[in-house]
Amino acid sequence: EVQLVESGGGVVRPGGSLRLSCAASGFTFDDFGMTWVRQAPGKGLEWVSGLNWNGGRTGYADSVKGRFTISRDNAKNTLYLQMNSLRAEDTALYYCARGQTAREGLDVWGQGTTVTVSS
Amino acid sequence: QSVLTQSPSTSGTPGQRVTISCSGSSSNIGSNYVYWYQHLPGTAPKLLIYRNNQRPSGVPDRFSGSKSGTSASLAISGLRSEDEAGYFCAAWDDSLSVWMFGGGTKLTVL
């Protein structure tokens, strides 16, 4: 069964850091680009970041550029999102999804991990 | 946030056909594939339609997608109670280089 399981969410103070992980199983991980999407409370979905199969090509939303870093470890079948200088507006449910490009689509999603930035 | 336009809610009775629309622009829907998802709170979004009108294996043929210009639609025929859920669209935007998502449509089966 193809599965994505996010972890690493929690409560952090403004200015703090968190690293999210997304463990992939049931498919050949390095055949696919990967993406992070978030949903703030009461808001719609927002694309956060994506990267290609080997991490050599990455993209970020303007709202997180310079603060968040996406990466992957293909040997561990795991996607990461390092989040620094966190702000209250980063509070959201963070999903990882398989796929990156317009042609691939985002075809498999995890259930998400919650990040709360609050003092 | 990067938003494609969807009506917030719609409803139908069992057996009925409902359509959910998604409106964008030439840089997203107008030039890229549209994807449709079903989403229940607390669960992972499920892909229903990819590349405008293709169904993944396991998705019933009651679900169909179409695209015309800068708009797309998801149709659900033979409505069933288990179809009561949120539905959202997605497309890549070439100008902004971001994935854009619809705000979601809540389908109620009366």
PDB file of all heavy atoms in Angstrom, chain A residues 32-68:
ATOM      1  N   PHE A  32      10.013   9.759  -7.671  1.00  0.00           N
ATOM      2  CA  PHE A  32       9.025  10.830  -7.608  1.00  0.00           C
ATOM      3  C   PHE A  32       9.568  12.107  -6.972  1.00  0.00           C
ATOM      4  O   PHE A  32      10.341  12.059  -6.008  1.00  0.00           O
ATOM      5  CB  PHE A  32       7.811  10.386  -6.780  1.00  0.00           C
ATOM      6  CG  PHE A  32       7.022   9.272  -7.392  1.00  0.00           C
ATOM      7  CD1 PHE A  32       7.369   7.952  -7.152  1.00  0.00           C
ATOM      8  CD2 PHE A  32       5.946   9.540  -8.221  1.00  0.00           C
ATOM      9  CE1 PHE A  32       6.657   6.916  -7.707  1.00  0.00           C
ATOM     10  CE2 PHE A  32       5.225   8.516  -8.780  1.00  0.00           C
ATOM     11  CZ  PHE A  32       5.577   7.198  -8.531  1.00  0.00           C
ATOM     12  N   GLY A  33       9.104  13.265  -7.506  1.00  0.00           N
ATOM     13  CA  GLY A  33       9.250  14.497  -6.768  1.00  0.00           C
ATOM     14  C   GLY A  33       8.292  14.478  -5.589  1.00  0.00           C
ATOM     15  O   GLY A  33       7.378  13.651  -5.529  1.00  0.00           O
ATOM     16  N   MET A  34       8.525  15.380  -4.643  1.00  0.00           N
ATOM     17  CA  MET A  34       7.693  15.435  -3.446  1.00  0.00           C
ATOM     18  C   MET A  34       7.367  16.886  -3.103  1.00  0.00           C
ATOM     19  O   MET A  34       8.101  17.813  -3.493  1.00  0.00           O
ATOM     20  CB  MET A  34       8.392  14.774  -2.260  1.00  0.00           C
ATOM     21  CG  MET A  34       8.679  13.290  -2.425  1.00  0.00           C
ATOM     22  SD  MET A  34       7.191  12.258  -2.453  1.00  0.00           S
ATOM     23  CE  MET A  34       6.597  12.458  -0.765  1.00  0.00           C
ATOM     24  N   THR A  35       6.302  17.069  -2.353  1.00  0.00           N
ATOM     25  CA  THR A  35       5.767  18.406  -2.090  1.00  0.00           C
ATOM     26  C   THR A  35       5.249  18.508  -0.665  1.00  0.00           C
ATOM     27  O   THR A  35       4.752  17.526  -0.116  1.00  0.00           O
ATOM     28  CB  THR A  35       4.624  18.687  -3.092  1.00  0.00           C
ATOM     29  OG1 THR A  35       5.161  18.781  -4.409  1.00  0.00           O
ATOM     30  CG2 THR A  35       3.880  19.971  -2.757  1.00  0.00           C
ATOM     31  N   TRP A  36       5.368  19.708  -0.093  1.00  0.00           N
ATOM     32  CA  TRP A  36       4.718  20.039   1.184  1.00  0.00           C
ATOM     33  C   TRP A  36       3.618  21.059   0.910  1.00  0.00           C
ATOM     34  O   TRP A  36       3.826  22.047   0.196  1.00  0.00           O
ATOM     35  CB  TRP A  36       5.702  20.633   2.178  1.00  0.00           C
ATOM     36  CG  TRP A  36       6.666  19.659   2.768  1.00  0.00           C
ATOM     37  CD1 TRP A  36       7.968  19.446   2.394  1.00  0.00           C
ATOM     38  CD2 TRP A  36       6.417  18.755   3.852  1.00  0.00           C
ATOM     39  NE1 TRP A  36       8.533  18.468   3.175  1.00  0.00           N
ATOM     40  CE2 TRP A  36       7.606  18.020   4.075  1.00  0.00           C
ATOM     41  CE3 TRP A  36       5.310  18.485   4.670  1.00  0.00           C
ATOM     42  CZ2 TRP A  36       7.719  17.054   5.069  1.00  0.00           C
ATOM     43  CZ3 TRP A  36       5.419  17.522   5.655  1.00  0.00           C
ATOM     44  CH2 TRP A  36       6.614  16.814   5.857  1.00  0.00           C
ATOM     45  N   VAL A  37       2.455  20.822   1.510  1.00  0.00           N
ATOM     46  CA  VAL A  37       1.296  21.708   1.413  1.00  0.00           C
ATOM     47  C   VAL A  37       0.789  21.932   2.830  1.00  0.00           C
ATOM     48  O   VAL A  37       0.841  21.018   3.655  1.00  0.00           O
ATOM     49  CB  VAL A  37       0.180  21.066   0.551  1.00  0.00           C
ATOM     50  CG1 VAL A  37      -1.067  21.946   0.522  1.00  0.00           C
ATOM     51  CG2 VAL A  37       0.678  20.796  -0.864  1.00  0.00           C
ATOM     52  N   ARG A  38       0.287  23.118   3.122  1.00  0.00           N
ATOM     53  CA  ARG A  38      -0.239  23.365   4.466  1.00  0.00           C
ATOM     54  C   ARG A  38      -1.625  23.978   4.408  1.00  0.00           C
ATOM     55  O   ARG A  38      -2.040  24.535   3.389  1.00  0.00           O
ATOM     56  CB  ARG A  38       0.696  24.263   5.267  1.00  0.00           C
ATOM     57  CG  ARG A  38       0.788  25.707   4.761  1.00  0.00           C
ATOM     58  CD  ARG A  38       1.830  26.487   5.573  1.00  0.00           C
ATOM     59  NE  ARG A  38       1.927  27.868   5.116  1.00  0.00           N
ATOM     60  CZ  ARG A  38       2.807  28.742   5.607  1.00  0.00           C
ATOM     61  NH1 ARG A  38       3.678  28.377   6.564  1.00  0.00           N
ATOM     62  NH2 ARG A  38       2.830  29.986   5.151  1.00  0.00           N
ATOM     63  N   GLN A  39      -2.319  23.841   5.537  1.00  0.00           N
ATOM     64  CA  GLN A  39      -3.642  24.434   5.663  1.00  0.00           C
ATOM     65  C   GLN A  39      -3.761  25.067   7.030  1.00  0.00           C
ATOM     66  O   GLN A  39      -3.792  24.357   8.044  1.00  0.00           O
ATOM     67  CB  GLN A  39      -4.743  23.388   5.462  1.00  0.00           C
ATOM     68  CG  GLN A  39      -6.144  23.974   5.481  1.00  0.00           C
ATOM     69  CD  GLN A  39      -7.193  22.998   4.987  1.00  0.00           C
ATOM     70  OE1 GLN A  39      -7.049  21.787   5.111  1.00  0.00           O
ATOM     71  NE2 GLN A  39      -8.264  23.528   4.406  1.00  0.00           N
ATOM     72  N   ALA A  40      -3.800  26.385   7.060  1.00  0.00           N
ATOM     73  CA  ALA A  40      -3.972  27.102   8.309  1.00  0.00           C
ATOM     74  C   ALA A  40      -5.416  26.958   8.783  1.00  0.00           C
ATOM     75  O   ALA A  40      -6.320  26.712   7.974  1.00  0.00           O
ATOM     76  CB  ALA A  40      -3.615  28.574   8.111  1.00  0.00           C
ATOM     77  N   PRO A  41      -5.648  27.107  10.082  1.00  0.00           N
ATOM     78  CA  PRO A  41      -7.016  26.961  10.606  1.00  0.00           C
ATOM     79  C   PRO A  41      -7.994  27.892   9.890  1.00  0.00           C
ATOM     80  O   PRO A  41      -7.766  29.100   9.794  1.00  0.00           O
ATOM     81  CB  PRO A  41      -6.854  27.343  12.078  1.00  0.00           C
ATOM     82  CG  PRO A  41      -5.440  27.046  12.394  1.00  0.00           C
ATOM     83  CD  PRO A  41      -4.670  27.340  11.145  1.00  0.00           C
ATOM     84  N   GLY A  42      -9.054  27.310   9.383  1.00  0.00           N
ATOM     85  CA  GLY A  42     -10.083  28.092   8.718  1.00  0.00           C
ATOM     86  C   GLY A  42      -9.716  28.622   7.346  1.00  0.00           C
ATOM     87  O   GLY A  42     -10.468  29.403   6.751  1.00  0.00           O
ATOM     88  N   LYS A  43      -8.559  28.202   6.840  1.00  0.00           N
ATOM     89  CA  LYS A  43      -8.096  28.697   5.538  1.00  0.00           C
ATOM     90  C   LYS A  43      -7.993  27.561   4.532  1.00  0.00           C
ATOM     91  O   LYS A  43      -8.155  26.385   4.870  1.00  0.00           O
ATOM     92  CB  LYS A  43      -6.702  29.341   5.692  1.00  0.00           C
ATOM     93  CG  LYS A  43      -6.634  30.449   6.722  1.00  0.00           C
ATOM     94  CD  LYS A  43      -7.149  31.752   6.175  1.00  0.00           C
ATOM     95  CE  LYS A  43      -6.881  32.890   7.156  1.00  0.00           C
ATOM     96  NZ  LYS A  43      -7.216  34.190   6.590  1.00  0.00           N
ATOM     97  N   GLY A  44      -7.717  27.935   3.282  1.00  0.00           N
ATOM     98  CA  GLY A  44      -7.555  26.931   2.247  1.00  0.00           C
ATOM     99  C   GLY A  44      -6.139  26.377   2.206  1.00  0.00           C
ATOM    100  O   GLY A  44      -5.269  26.753   2.991  1.00  0.00           O
ATOM    101  N   LEU A  45      -5.932  25.483   1.271  1.00  0.00           N
ATOM    102  CA  LEU A  45      -4.623  24.855   1.111  1.00  0.00           C
ATOM    103  C   LEU A  45      -3.625  25.825   0.498  1.00  0.00           C
ATOM    104  O   LEU A  45      -3.975  26.628  -0.372  1.00  0.00           O
ATOM    105  CB  LEU A  45      -4.745  23.631   0.226  1.00  0.00           C
ATOM    106  CG  LEU A  45      -5.553  22.479   0.805  1.00  0.00           C
ATOM    107  CD1 LEU A  45      -5.935  21.493  -0.282  1.00  0.00           C
ATOM    108  CD2 LEU A  45      -4.764  21.774   1.900  1.00  0.00           C
ATOM    109  N   GLU A  46      -2.382  25.734   0.948  1.00  0.00           N
ATOM    110  CA  GLU A  46      -1.306  26.577   0.429  1.00  0.00           C
ATOM    111  C   GLU A  46      -0.087  25.714   0.123  1.00  0.00           C
ATOM    112  O   GLU A  46       0.411  25.002   1.003  1.00  0.00           O
ATOM    113  CB  GLU A  46      -0.922  27.658   1.443  1.00  0.00           C
ATOM    114  CG  GLU A  46       0.212  28.553   0.968  1.00  0.00           C
ATOM    115  CD  GLU A  46       0.715  29.503   2.049  1.00  0.00           C
ATOM    116  OE1 GLU A  46       0.484  29.242   3.244  1.00  0.00           O
ATOM    117  OE2 GLU A  46       1.363  30.511   1.688  1.00  0.00           O
ATOM    118  N   TRP A  47       0.392  25.771  -1.107  1.00  0.00           N
ATOM    119  CA  TRP A  47       1.638  25.077  -1.472  1.00  0.00           C
ATOM    120  C   TRP A  47       2.791  25.726  -0.718  1.00  0.00           C
ATOM    121  O   TRP A  47       2.889  26.956  -0.682  1.00  0.00           O
ATOM    122  CB  TRP A  47       1.847  25.182  -2.971  1.00  0.00           C
ATOM    123  CG  TRP A  47       3.149  24.619  -3.449  1.00  0.00           C
ATOM    124  CD1 TRP A  47       3.453  23.300  -3.644  1.00  0.00           C
ATOM    125  CD2 TRP A  47       4.318  25.350  -3.808  1.00  0.00           C
ATOM    126  NE1 TRP A  47       4.741  23.182  -4.106  1.00  0.00           N
ATOM    127  CE2 TRP A  47       5.300  24.421  -4.207  1.00  0.00           C
ATOM    128  CE3 TRP A  47       4.646  26.706  -3.830  1.00  0.00           C
ATOM    129  CZ2 TRP A  47       6.572  24.800  -4.638  1.00  0.00           C
ATOM    130  CZ3 TRP A  47       5.910  27.090  -4.246  1.00  0.00           C
ATOM    131  CH2 TRP A  47       6.856  26.134  -4.641  1.00  0.00           C
ATOM    132  N   VAL A  48       3.651  24.898  -0.117  1.00  0.00           N
ATOM    133  CA  VAL A  48       4.772  25.402   0.672  1.00  0.00           C
ATOM    134  C   VAL A  48       6.087  25.236  -0.080  1.00  0.00           C
ATOM    135  O   VAL A  48       6.862  26.181  -0.220  1.00  0.00           O
ATOM    136  CB  VAL A  48       4.845  24.675   2.034  1.00  0.00           C
ATOM    137  CG1 VAL A  48       6.098  25.079   2.808  1.00  0.00           C
ATOM    138  CG2 VAL A  48       3.586  24.944   2.852  1.00  0.00           C
ATOM    139  N   SER A  49       6.331  24.008  -0.544  1.00  0.00           N
ATOM    140  CA  SER A  49       7.621  23.721  -1.156  1.00  0.00           C
ATOM    141  C   SER A  49       7.561  22.406  -1.896  1.00  0.00           C
ATOM    142  O   SER A  49       6.715  21.542  -1.595  1.00  0.00           O
ATOM    143  CB  SER A  49       8.700  23.649  -0.073  1.00  0.00           C
ATOM    144  OG  SER A  49       9.976  23.415  -0.639  1.00  0.00           O
ATOM    145  N   GLY A  50       8.454  22.239  -2.862  1.00  0.00           N
ATOM    146  CA  GLY A  50       8.557  20.986  -3.579  1.00  0.00           C
ATOM    147  C   GLY A  50       9.983  20.741  -4.031  1.00  0.00           C
ATOM    148  O   GLY A  50      10.787  21.675  -4.095  1.00  0.00           O
ATOM    149  N   LEU A  51      10.291  19.484  -4.302  1.00  0.00           N
ATOM    150  CA  LEU A  51      11.612  19.170  -4.843  1.00  0.00           C
ATOM    151  C   LEU A  51      11.516  17.967  -5.762  1.00  0.00           C
ATOM    152  O   LEU A  51      10.562  17.177  -5.685  1.00  0.00           O
ATOM    153  CB  LEU A  51      12.637  18.930  -3.719  1.00  0.00           C
ATOM    154  CG  LEU A  51      12.718  17.567  -3.023  1.00  0.00           C
ATOM    155  CD1 LEU A  51      13.899  17.567  -2.047  1.00  0.00           C
ATOM    156  CD2 LEU A  51      11.470  17.170  -2.374  1.00  0.00           C
ATOM    157  N   ASN A  52      12.513  17.838  -6.638  1.00  0.00           N
ATOM    158  CA  ASN A  52      12.487  16.754  -7.609  1.00  0.00           C
ATOM    159  C   ASN A  52      13.057  15.478  -6.996  1.00  0.00           C
ATOM    160  O   ASN A  52      13.378  15.422  -5.815  1.00  0.00           O
ATOM    161  CB  ASN A  52      13.223  17.154  -8.875  1.00  0.00           C
ATOM    162  CG  ASN A  52      14.721  17.287  -8.661  1.00  0.00           C
ATOM    163  OD1 ASN A  52      15.169  17.523  -7.537  1.00  0.00           O
ATOM    164  ND2 ASN A  52      15.491  17.128  -9.723  1.00  0.00           N
ATOM    165  N   TRP A  53      13.226  14.465  -7.790  1.00  0.00           N
ATOM    166  CA  TRP A  53      13.544  13.129  -7.279  1.00  0.00           C
ATOM    167  C   TRP A  53      14.847  13.067  -6.491  1.00  0.00           C
ATOM    168  O   TRP A  53      14.968  12.286  -5.547  1.00  0.00           O
ATOM    169  CB  TRP A  53      13.599  12.137  -8.437  1.00  0.00           C
ATOM    170  CG  TRP A  53      14.776  12.327  -9.349  1.00  0.00           C
ATOM    171  CD1 TRP A  53      14.881  13.190 -10.400  1.00  0.00           C
ATOM    172  CD2 TRP A  53      16.037  11.658  -9.253  1.00  0.00           C
ATOM    173  NE1 TRP A  53      16.121  13.082 -10.972  1.00  0.00           N
ATOM    174  CE2 TRP A  53      16.854  12.166 -10.300  1.00  0.00           C
ATOM    175  CE3 TRP A  53      16.549  10.665  -8.417  1.00  0.00           C
ATOM    176  CZ2 TRP A  53      18.156  11.722 -10.500  1.00  0.00           C
ATOM    177  CZ3 TRP A  53      17.849  10.220  -8.614  1.00  0.00           C
ATOM    178  CH2 TRP A  53      18.632  10.746  -9.646  1.00  0.00           C
ATOM    179  N   ASN A  54      15.816  13.870  -6.851  1.00  0.00           N
ATOM    180  CA  ASN A  54      17.111  13.790  -6.155  1.00  0.00           C
ATOM    181  C   ASN A  54      17.394  15.024  -5.300  1.00  0.00           C
ATOM    182  O   ASN A  54      18.496  15.173  -4.768  1.00  0.00           O
ATOM    183  CB  ASN A  54      18.251  13.569  -7.142  1.00  0.00           C
ATOM    184  CG  ASN A  54      18.455  14.757  -8.081  1.00  0.00           C
ATOM    185  OD1 ASN A  54      17.709  15.734  -8.032  1.00  0.00           O
ATOM    186  ND2 ASN A  54      19.459  14.685  -8.931  1.00  0.00           N
ATOM    187  N   GLY A  55      16.418  15.916  -5.189  1.00  0.00           N
ATOM    188  CA  GLY A  55      16.604  17.112  -4.379  1.00  0.00           C
ATOM    189  C   GLY A  55      17.402  18.200  -5.061  1.00  0.00           C
ATOM    190  O   GLY A  55      17.692  19.236  -4.458  1.00  0.00           O
ATOM    191  N   GLY A  56      17.747  17.993  -6.307  1.00  0.00           N
ATOM    192  CA  GLY A  56      18.569  18.963  -7.014  1.00  0.00           C
ATOM    193  C   GLY A  56      17.806  20.190  -7.477  1.00  0.00           C
ATOM    194  O   GLY A  56      18.418  21.209  -7.830  1.00  0.00           O
ATOM    195  N   ARG A  57      16.509  20.086  -7.483  1.00  0.00           N
ATOM    196  CA  ARG A  57      15.684  21.220  -7.900  1.00  0.00           C
ATOM    197  C   ARG A  57      14.598  21.423  -6.851  1.00  0.00           C
ATOM    198  O   ARG A  57      13.800  20.517  -6.589  1.00  0.00           O
ATOM    199  CB  ARG A  57      15.075  20.941  -9.266  1.00  0.00           C
ATOM    200  CG  ARG A  57      14.425  22.134  -9.912  1.00  0.00           C
ATOM    201  CD  ARG A  57      14.241  21.953 -11.412  1.00  0.00           C
ATOM    202  NE  ARG A  57      13.466  20.779 -11.734  1.00  0.00           N
ATOM    203  CZ  ARG A  57      13.940  19.741 -12.414  1.00  0.00           C
ATOM    204  NH1 ARG A  57      15.182  19.733 -12.836  1.00  0.00           N
ATOM    205  NH2 ARG A  57      13.159  18.710 -12.678  1.00  0.00           N
ATOM    206  N   THR A  58      14.572  22.598  -6.266  1.00  0.00           N
ATOM    207  CA  THR A  58      13.608  22.891  -5.198  1.00  0.00           C
ATOM    208  C   THR A  58      12.855  24.182  -5.507  1.00  0.00           C
ATOM    209  O   THR A  58      13.321  25.021  -6.292  1.00  0.00           O
ATOM    210  CB  THR A  58      14.295  23.049  -3.832  1.00  0.00           C
ATOM    211  OG1 THR A  58      15.240  24.127  -3.909  1.00  0.00           O
ATOM    212  CG2 THR A  58      15.030  21.777  -3.425  1.00  0.00           C
ATOM    213  N   GLY A  59      11.710  24.344  -4.886  1.00  0.00           N
ATOM    214  CA  GLY A  59      10.932  25.568  -5.020  1.00  0.00           C
ATOM    215  C   GLY A  59      10.238  25.880  -3.704  1.00  0.00           C
ATOM    216  O   GLY A  59       9.939  24.956  -2.929  1.00  0.00           O
ATOM    217  N   TYR A  60      10.033  27.161  -3.443  1.00  0.00           N
ATOM    218  CA  TYR A  60       9.419  27.582  -2.188  1.00  0.00           C
ATOM    219  C   TYR A  60       8.385  28.672  -2.429  1.00  0.00           C
ATOM    220  O   TYR A  60       8.550  29.524  -3.311  1.00  0.00           O
ATOM    221  CB  TYR A  60      10.484  28.144  -1.226  1.00  0.00           C
ATOM    222  CG  TYR A  60      11.532  27.146  -0.825  1.00  0.00           C
ATOM    223  CD1 TYR A  60      12.709  27.021  -1.551  1.00  0.00           C
ATOM    224  CD2 TYR A  60      11.339  26.336   0.289  1.00  0.00           C
ATOM    225  CE1 TYR A  60      13.673  26.090  -1.192  1.00  0.00           C
ATOM    226  CE2 TYR A  60      12.297  25.402   0.667  1.00  0.00           C
ATOM    227  CZ  TYR A  60      13.452  25.290  -0.088  1.00  0.00           C
ATOM    228  OH  TYR A  60      14.406  24.363   0.287  1.00  0.00           O
ATOM    229  N   ALA A  61       7.340  28.661  -1.620  1.00  0.00           N
ATOM    230  CA  ALA A  61       6.395  29.773  -1.606  1.00  0.00           C
ATOM    231  C   ALA A  61       7.111  31.013  -1.062  1.00  0.00           C
ATOM    232  O   ALA A  61       8.005  30.893  -0.213  1.00  0.00           O
ATOM    233  CB  ALA A  61       5.194  29.437  -0.726  1.00  0.00           C
ATOM    234  N   ASP A  62       6.715  32.173  -1.549  1.00  0.00           N
ATOM    235  CA  ASP A  62       7.343  33.413  -1.078  1.00  0.00           C
ATOM    236  C   ASP A  62       7.219  33.552   0.430  1.00  0.00           C
ATOM    237  O   ASP A  62       8.104  34.103   1.088  1.00  0.00           O
ATOM    238  CB  ASP A  62       6.701  34.621  -1.762  1.00  0.00           C
ATOM    239  CG  ASP A  62       7.118  34.765  -3.211  1.00  0.00           C
ATOM    240  OD1 ASP A  62       8.111  34.118  -3.616  1.00  0.00           O
ATOM    241  OD2 ASP A  62       6.444  35.507  -3.944  1.00  0.00           O
ATOM    242  N   SER A  63       6.122  33.041   0.982  1.00  0.00           N
ATOM    243  CA  SER A  63       5.859  33.197   2.406  1.00  0.00           C
ATOM    244  C   SER A  63       6.848  32.439   3.291  1.00  0.00           C
ATOM    245  O   SER A  63       6.960  32.727   4.490  1.00  0.00           O
ATOM    246  CB  SER A  63       4.433  32.735   2.728  1.00  0.00           C
ATOM    247  OG  SER A  63       4.244  31.403   2.315  1.00  0.00           O
ATOM    248  N   VAL A  64       7.573  31.468   2.720  1.00  0.00           N
ATOM    249  CA  VAL A  64       8.503  30.672   3.534  1.00  0.00           C
ATOM    250  C   VAL A  64       9.936  30.745   3.028  1.00  0.00           C
ATOM    251  O   VAL A  64      10.848  30.211   3.676  1.00  0.00           O
ATOM    252  CB  VAL A  64       8.057  29.200   3.616  1.00  0.00           C
ATOM    253  CG1 VAL A  64       6.609  29.103   4.088  1.00  0.00           C
ATOM    254  CG2 VAL A  64       8.244  28.489   2.282  1.00  0.00           C
ATOM    255  N   LYS A  65      10.140  31.384   1.899  1.00  0.00           N
ATOM    256  CA  LYS A  65      11.469  31.437   1.290  1.00  0.00           C
ATOM    257  C   LYS A  65      12.480  32.064   2.251  1.00  0.00           C
ATOM    258  O   LYS A  65      12.192  33.090   2.877  1.00  0.00           O
ATOM    259  CB  LYS A  65      11.388  32.233  -0.016  1.00  0.00           C
ATOM    260  CG  LYS A  65      12.480  31.939  -1.009  1.00  0.00           C
ATOM    261  CD  LYS A  65      12.185  32.620  -2.363  1.00  0.00           C
ATOM    262  CE  LYS A  65      11.002  31.994  -3.062  1.00  0.00           C
ATOM    263  NZ  LYS A  65      10.749  32.598  -4.398  1.00  0.00           N
ATOM    264  N   GLY A  66      13.619  31.413   2.383  1.00  0.00           N
ATOM    265  CA  GLY A  66      14.655  31.907   3.284  1.00  0.00           C
ATOM    266  C   GLY A  66      14.508  31.410   4.711  1.00  0.00           C
ATOM    267  O   GLY A  66      15.417  31.575   5.533  1.00  0.00           O
ATOM    268  N   ARG A  67      13.364  30.820   5.026  1.00  0.00           N
ATOM    269  CA  ARG A  67      13.136  30.316   6.398  1.00  0.00           C
ATOM    270  C   ARG A  67      12.987  28.790   6.423  1.00  0.00           C
ATOM    271  O   ARG A  67      13.370  28.145   7.394  1.00  0.00           O
ATOM    272  CB  ARG A  67      11.869  30.944   6.988  1.00  0.00           C
ATOM    273  CG  ARG A  67      11.922  32.458   7.092  1.00  0.00           C
ATOM    274  CD  ARG A  67      10.703  33.011   7.844  1.00  0.00           C
ATOM    275  NE  ARG A  67       9.445  32.693   7.193  1.00  0.00           N
ATOM    276  CZ  ARG A  67       8.452  32.021   7.774  1.00  0.00           C
ATOM    277  NH1 ARG A  67       8.570  31.604   9.018  1.00  0.00           N
ATOM    278  NH2 ARG A  67       7.327  31.793   7.109  1.00  0.00           N
ATOM    279  N   PHE A  68      12.404  28.235   5.371  1.00  0.00           N
ATOM    280  CA  PHE A  68      12.150  26.796   5.309  1.00  0.00           C
ATOM    281  C   PHE A  68      13.113  26.166   4.306  1.00  0.00           C
ATOM    282  O   PHE A  68      13.464  26.783   3.285  1.00  0.00           O
ATOM    283  CB  PHE A  68      10.722  26.504   4.865  1.00  0.00           C
ATOM    284  CG  PHE A  68       9.654  26.837   5.865  1.00  0.00           C
ATOM    285  CD1 PHE A  68       9.909  27.579   7.010  1.00  0.00           C
ATOM    286  CD2 PHE A  68       8.350  26.398   5.660  1.00  0.00           C
ATOM    287  CE1 PHE A  68       8.920  27.893   7.923  1.00  0.00           C
ATOM    288  CE2 PHE A  68       7.341  26.693   6.568  1.00  0.00           C
ATOM    289  CZ  PHE A  68       7.633  27.443   7.685  1.00  0.00           C
TER     290      PHE A  68
END
